[in-house]
């Protein structure tokens, strides 16, 4: 099997167009990656994954950044103290 193409996937028109286009043009598997920055909920994330797979992606990943967000929320108190607040 050939090397996959990894596509940063938002689910919008441009990246949704690219999934089947890249697959056809390069004859390689497409893996979509969407990063959870806190802008959508779990149901919307599942919809993105389903859309990518329906468009022909071989796989779709949804790396969660929730641990990073939790850490930043914990650091917010110390940041405020450092700023003199």
């Amino acid at each position: 099997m050939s090397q996959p193409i990894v596509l940063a996937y938002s689910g919008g028109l441009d990246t949704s167009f690219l999934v089947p286009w890249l697959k056809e043009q390069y004859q390689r598997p497409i893996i979509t990656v969407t990063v959870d920055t806190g802008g959508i909920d779990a149901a919307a994330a599942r919809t993105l994954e389903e859309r990518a797979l329906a468009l022909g992606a071989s796989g779709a990943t949804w790396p969660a950044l929730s641990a990073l967000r939790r850490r930043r929320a914990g650091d917010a108190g110390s940041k405020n103290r450092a700023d003199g607040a």
Side-chain angles (χ1 to χ4, degrees):
M1 179 177 252
S2 61
Q3 291 276 342
I5 295 171
V6 178
L7 174 66
Y9 182 73
S10 67
L13 180 62
D14 295 341
T15 57
S16 292
F17 167 83
L18 281 173
V19 173
W21 187 85
L22 287 168
K23 185 176 180 179
E24 181 179 327
Q25 292 296 311
Y26 294 97
Q27 300 295 307
R28 292 167 56 188
I30 308 301
I31 307 295
T32 62
V33 177
T34 304
V35 177
D36 176 3
T37 59
I40 64 173
D41 61 19
R46 280 190 300 277
T47 299
L48 279 174
E49 180 179 5
E50 291 166 1
R51 182 181 305 151
L53 294 173
L55 289 167
S58 300
T61 64
W62 179 256
L65 297 178
S66 56
L68 179 59
R69 285 195 304 271
R70 281 195 305 271
R71 192 181 96 207
R72 285 187 179 162
D75 290 347
S78 60
K79 179 181 178 190
N80 287 340
R81 284 190 296 276
D83 292 340

